[in-house]
CSV table of all heavy atoms in Angstrom, one decimal:
chain,number,residue,atom,x,y,z
A,11,PHE,N,46.3,-15.7,34.0
A,11,PHE,CA,47.1,-16.8,33.4
A,11,PHE,C,46.2,-17.7,32.5
A,11,PHE,O,46.8,-18.2,31.5
A,11,PHE,CB,47.8,-17.6,34.5
A,11,PHE,CG,48.7,-16.7,35.3
A,11,PHE,CD1,48.7,-16.8,36.7
A,11,PHE,CD2,49.5,-15.8,34.7
A,11,PHE,CE1,49.6,-16.0,37.4
A,11,PHE,CE2,50.4,-15.0,35.5
A,11,PHE,CZ,50.4,-15.1,36.8
A,263,ILE,N,58.1,-15.7,29.5
A,263,ILE,CA,57.6,-14.6,30.3
A,263,ILE,C,56.4,-15.1,31.1
A,263,ILE,O,56.2,-14.7,32.3
A,263,ILE,CB,57.2,-13.4,29.4
A,263,ILE,CG1,58.4,-12.7,28.9
A,263,ILE,CG2,56.2,-12.5,30.1
A,263,ILE,CD1,58.2,-11.6,27.9
A,264,ILE,N,55.5,-15.9,30.5
A,264,ILE,CA,54.4,-16.5,31.3
A,264,ILE,C,54.8,-17.3,32.5
A,264,ILE,O,54.3,-17.2,33.6
A,264,ILE,CB,53.5,-17.3,30.3
A,264,ILE,CG1,52.8,-16.4,29.3
A,264,ILE,CG2,52.4,-18.0,31.1
A,264,ILE,CD1,52.0,-17.2,28.2
A,265,LYS,N,55.9,-18.1,32.3
A,265,LYS,CA,56.4,-18.9,33.4
A,265,LYS,C,56.9,-18.1,34.5
A,265,LYS,O,56.6,-18.3,35.7
A,265,LYS,CB,57.5,-19.9,32.9
A,265,LYS,CG,57.0,-21.1,32.1
A,265,LYS,CD,58.1,-22.0,31.8
A,265,LYS,CE,57.6,-23.3,31.1
A,265,LYS,NZ,58.7,-24.2,30.9
A,266,ILE,N,57.6,-17.0,34.2
A,266,ILE,CA,58.2,-16.1,35.3
A,266,ILE,C,57.0,-15.4,36.0
A,266,ILE,O,57.0,-15.3,37.2
A,266,ILE,CB,59.1,-15.1,34.6
A,266,ILE,CG1,60.4,-15.9,34.1
A,266,ILE,CG2,59.5,-14.1,35.6
A,266,ILE,CD1,61.3,-15.0,33.3
A,267,ALA,N,56.0,-15.0,35.2
A,267,ALA,CA,54.9,-14.3,35.8
A,267,ALA,C,54.1,-15.2,36.7
A,267,ALA,O,53.7,-14.8,37.8
A,267,ALA,CB,53.9,-13.8,34.6
A,268,LYS,N,53.9,-16.5,36.4
A,268,LYS,CA,53.2,-17.4,37.2
A,268,LYS,C,54.1,-17.6,38.5
A,268,LYS,O,53.5,-17.7,39.6
A,268,LYS,CB,53.0,-18.7,36.5
A,268,LYS,CG,51.9,-18.7,35.4
A,268,LYS,CD,51.8,-20.0,34.7
A,268,LYS,CE,50.7,-19.9,33.6
A,268,LYS,NZ,50.6,-21.2,32.9
A,269,GLN,N,55.3,-17.8,38.4
A,269,GLN,CA,56.2,-18.0,39.5
A,269,GLN,C,56.2,-16.9,40.5
A,269,GLN,O,56.1,-17.0,41.7
A,269,GLN,CB,57.6,-18.3,39.0
A,269,GLN,CG,58.6,-18.8,40.1
A,269,GLN,CD,59.9,-19.3,39.6
A,269,GLN,OE1,60.1,-19.4,38.3
A,269,GLN,NE2,60.8,-19.7,40.4
A,270,ASN,N,56.2,-15.6,39.9
A,270,ASN,CA,56.2,-14.4,40.8
A,270,ASN,C,54.8,-14.3,41.5
A,270,ASN,O,54.8,-13.7,42.6
A,270,ASN,CB,56.4,-13.2,39.9
A,270,ASN,CG,57.8,-13.1,39.4
A,270,ASN,OD1,58.7,-13.7,39.9
A,270,ASN,ND2,58.0,-12.3,38.3
A,271,ALA,N,53.8,-14.9,40.9
A,271,ALA,CA,52.5,-14.8,41.6
A,271,ALA,C,52.2,-16.0,42.5
A,271,ALA,O,51.1,-16.1,43.1
A,271,ALA,CB,51.4,-14.7,40.5
A,272,GLY,N,53.2,-16.9,42.6
A,272,GLY,CA,53.0,-18.0,43.5
A,272,GLY,C,52.3,-19.2,42.9
A,272,GLY,O,51.8,-20.1,43.5
A,273,PHE,N,52.2,-19.2,41.5
A,273,PHE,CA,51.6,-20.3,40.8
A,273,PHE,C,52.7,-21.2,40.3
A,273,PHE,O,53.9,-20.9,40.1
A,273,PHE,CB,50.8,-19.7,39.6
A,273,PHE,CG,49.5,-19.2,39.9
A,273,PHE,CD1,49.3,-18.2,40.9
A,273,PHE,CD2,48.4,-19.6,39.2
A,273,PHE,CE1,48.1,-17.7,41.2
A,273,PHE,CE2,47.1,-19.1,39.5
A,273,PHE,CZ,47.0,-18.1,40.5
A,274,ASP,N,52.3,-22.5,40.0
A,274,ASP,CA,53.2,-23.4,39.4
A,274,ASP,C,53.5,-23.0,38.0
A,274,ASP,O,52.6,-23.0,37.1
A,274,ASP,CB,52.6,-24.8,39.5
A,274,ASP,CG,53.6,-25.9,39.0
A,274,ASP,OD1,54.5,-25.6,38.2
A,274,ASP,OD2,53.4,-27.1,39.5
A,275,PRO,N,54.8,-22.7,37.6
A,275,PRO,CA,55.1,-22.2,36.3
A,275,PRO,C,54.9,-23.2,35.2
A,275,PRO,O,54.8,-22.9,34.0
A,275,PRO,CB,56.5,-21.7,36.4
A,275,PRO,CG,57.1,-22.5,37.5
A,275,PRO,CD,56.0,-22.7,38.5
Side-chain angles (χ1 to χ4, degrees):
F11 300 135
I263 287 178
I264 293 174
K265 282 187 176 183
I266 294 170
K268 288 178 179 178
Q269 190 168 354
N270 290 340
F273 281 55
D274 186 333

